[in-house]
Amino acid sequence: MEKSNRLAWLVLFVACIANFSPNYSQYQLSPLAPQLMESFGMNASQFSSIFTAVLIPSIFLSLISGILTDRFGLKRVIGIGLCITALGSCLKIFAGSYGQLLIFMLMTGIGPTLLNANSAKIIGSYFSKEKSVTMMSIFLVSATLAMTVGMGTTTFFPSISSAFTLAAIISIVGVAAWMLVVKNPETTPTASAHGPGILEGLKIVVKNKYVWLTGLGLIGVVGSATAINAFLPTALAERGIDSIQAGLISSFMPIGNIIGCLLIPVIANKLGKNKLIMAVCALIGALGAAFAWKAPEGAPLFASLLLTGASLSGLVPLLIPIPIHIKEIGAVYAGTAGGFVNTIELLGVVLVPSYIIAPIAGTNMDLYYLLCGLCAIAALIIVFFLPELGRKATQNM
């Protein structure tokens, strides 16, 4: 039992490293926005497309990734994805044009797509049901930690290529650790031997309104957070803040993400009412998305970004598990539902910042961040239509 418990924690640690590397690679871009836009001749919309390119593979692969891992195993499928991510990170160092950088960033999104779509399966295979929410929060924190490090330290590198080189090294370490440590869980049944047919499961999932609402809610939350981070150092620099200092200040947003991801689910569990906490977080997140970047320099600016990050990220671990608790979905269709929700979420996260907010706002940062706030307001509205799945509600069921 002790050996099994040790392996579970080791697998979680390796999964966190593998999740850290592509997020670090992505959020390196934000502090480098002015240099990259100048070097590659990009406008704001093109830079936003580079920033969100990591997310595009999730639109096409999330739904089928569970089927692939059921048939060929977690280790092999996710391992191949992480190899493609590492290759993209290495090639990114030598990118000479906007098109090349876009393709290489797309490649870095393959690994995290397969990893995140199967995160519930990984954690459920190695940890008990009672520990799953806590373990999921730890896994999600690895991404927000990567955002913090990427946004807070990248400006200290002497060149773009040196920053990209470190990202490539971390990606290679992630692949090696995954292939050496992770084993396919022996107790996980394969989809081909058990469970519902693919079309049957997909039909049930697509018809369920709560699955759609969960995905749309995540679009509002994650779309807002992604858009905020994409231009935050640039927006702060426009206020007259030194570029290095702007990068450090911007890191308070992902630091808040880490705090919120760990703390908000605990608060919700204590109160026993998830919807109330989600509504409050969405409202605070919306106000912060629109106005936090304009707070006075010093403690007010740090606190505003920290609170905004915590509020938005705290919603994610409360939203993601909703489908598995819906009677019509349950554990039987959880994999399909998770992939479908992830597809909806990432489709919106790619489209909203790059093809809606950025083109409408252009270089007007005031309008840009007001639109980020509207995304979070949309999530707030959706919260009221979700079922109450807090501790008190489930105890009375």
Side-chain angles (χ1 to χ4, degrees):
M1 183 69 182
E2 184 180 347
K3 183 179 179 181
S4 177
N5 187 55
R6 194 183 308 123
L7 176 62
W9 279 100
L10 189 57
V11 168
L12 178 62
F13 177 70
V14 169
C16 286
I17 295 175
N19 196 36
F20 179 97
S21 63
N23 283 282
Y24 174 70
S25 179
Q26 179 189 12
Y27 279 84
Q28 278 188 318
L29 300 180
S30 187
L32 296 173
Q35 296 167 255
L36 289 169
M37 291 170 71
E38 182 180 352
S39 299
F40 294 96
M42 295 185 288
N43 58 35
S45 183
Q46 287 176 317
F47 173 77
S48 185
S49 69
I50 292 288
F51 187 77
T52 57
V54 178
L55 309 173
I56 292 176
S58 296
I59 300 171
F60 303 101
L61 296 178
S62 291
L63 196 55
I64 65 170
S65 61
I67 300 169
L68 292 173
T69 53
D70 280 342
R71 178 162 298 184
F72 300 108
L74 287 168
K75 180 174 182 175
R76 183 188 304 177
V77 174
I78 296 177
I80 292 172
L82 293 175
C83 284
I84 298 173
T85 291
L87 179 60
S89 294
C90 292
L91 292 174
K92 188 177 68 171
I93 301 169
F94 308 102
S97 66
Y98 162 74
Q100 289 178 357
L101 187 57
L102 181 66
I103 292 171
F104 299 151
M105 288 304 295
L106 279 167
M107 291 175 65
T108 65
I110 301 293
T113 292
L114 301 177
L115 188 63
N116 282 283
N118 288 283
S119 58
K121 182 173 182 176
I122 295 169
I123 290 169
S125 298
Y126 286 97
F127 293 95
S128 65
K129 185 177 179 181
E130 292 74 21
K131 293 181 178 179
S132 61
V133 173
T134 302
M135 299 305 111
M136 179 62 75
S137 294
I138 293 173
F139 175 76
L140 292 173
V141 160
S142 65
T144 53
L145 180 62
M147 298 174 197
T148 306
V149 177
M151 294 182 72
T153 64
T154 302
T155 50
F156 292 103
F157 285 89
S159 65
I160 293 174
S161 60
S162 61
F164 286 178
T165 298
L166 179 60
I169 292 171
I170 297 174
S171 293
I172 293 169
V173 170
V175 173
W178 180 270
M179 300 308 292
L180 288 171
V181 172
V182 176
K183 298 179 180 178
N184 290 317
E186 297 178 0
T187 57
T188 303
T190 61
S192 58
H194 305 280
I198 296 170
L199 292 179
E200 178 191 351
L202 186 58
K203 183 178 179 181
I204 291 172
V205 165
V206 170
K207 283 185 175 181
N208 192 282
K209 66 177 182 180
Y210 294 123
V211 171
W212 282 96
L213 288 171
T214 300
L216 293 173
L218 285 166
I219 286 178
V221 174
V222 183
S224 178
T226 302
I228 291 168
N229 285 317
F231 286 100
L232 187 54
T234 303
L236 293 175
E238 284 188 7
R239 290 181 50 183
I241 298 173
D242 176 76
S243 60
I244 293 178
Q245 191 178 4
L248 290 171
I249 294 171
S250 298
S251 67
F252 276 84
M253 176 84 178
I255 289 173
N257 291 158
I258 296 172
I259 295 170
C261 197
L262 292 173
L263 189 60
I264 299 300
V266 174
I267 295 173
N269 186 58
K270 289 287 185 182
L271 291 179
K273 294 183 178 181
N274 287 6
K275 286 183 67 172
L276 175 62
I277 295 298
M278 286 194 288
V280 171
C281 285
L283 179 58
I284 295 173
L287 293 172
F291 305 113
W293 73 283
K294 299 187 74 174
E297 288 186 49
L301 182 56
F302 302 154
S304 298
L305 293 174
L306 199 71
L307 185 59
T308 302
S311 299
L312 291 174
S313 71
L315 284 160
V316 177
L318 295 177
L319 283 167
I320 288 177
I322 286 176
I324 197 172
H325 295 295
I326 303 302
K327 183 179 179 182
E328 296 82 5
I329 304 297
V332 178
Y333 303 106
T336 304
F340 189 73
V341 165
N342 206 41
T343 301
I344 298 172
E345 173 196 347
L346 272 300
L347 181 62
V349 169
V350 170
L351 294 178
V352 171
S354 300
Y355 302 103
I356 298 177
I357 295 179
I360 292 174
T363 58
N364 186 337
M365 288 293 108
D366 289 294
L367 178 57
Y368 181 89
Y369 282 102
L370 281 174
L371 292 173
C372 291
L374 283 178
C375 285
I377 288 293
L380 171 62
I381 294 170
I382 289 170
V383 164
F384 293 106
F385 295 94
L386 292 170
E388 175 57 76
L389 296 174
R391 176 175 51 81
K392 291 182 179 179
T394 54
Q395 284 177 349
N396 295 328
M397 292 175 63

